[in-house]
Amino acid sequence: MNMHPDLTHAIVLAALAKVPDGTKRKLVSSVRERRQQVEDVIAASIVVALAQRS
């Protein structure tokens, strides 16, 4: 399964756009565990979005 890079980029951006603003704000938290948790949530949402397109 090969996706065109522009399609992959669009899917990732769409997945990021769906992440609530409050969640995105936690990416700059001074608490490492909070940042890591949000990174995991965002990564999972990107994986799901990519899987739905294949």
Side-chain angles (χ1 to χ4, degrees):
M1 171 201 70
N2 287 326
M3 253 191 259
H4 190 279
D6 290 341
L7 177 58
T8 303
H9 188 246
I11 292 169
V12 169
L13 287 178
L16 288 173
K18 290 181 181 179
V19 174
D21 288 339
T23 302
K24 288 185 251 189
R25 278 193 289 274
K26 291 178 185 174
L27 286 170
V28 296
S29 172
S30 60
V31 180
R32 184 168 101 62
E33 292 82 13
R34 186 175 292 159
R35 285 192 318 270
Q36 182 63 52
Q37 183 181 33
V38 172
E39 289 172 4
D40 292 345
V41 167
I42 291 173
S45 68
I46 291 170
V47 169
V48 168
L50 288 169
Q52 290 174 342
R53 296 292 182 159
S54 55

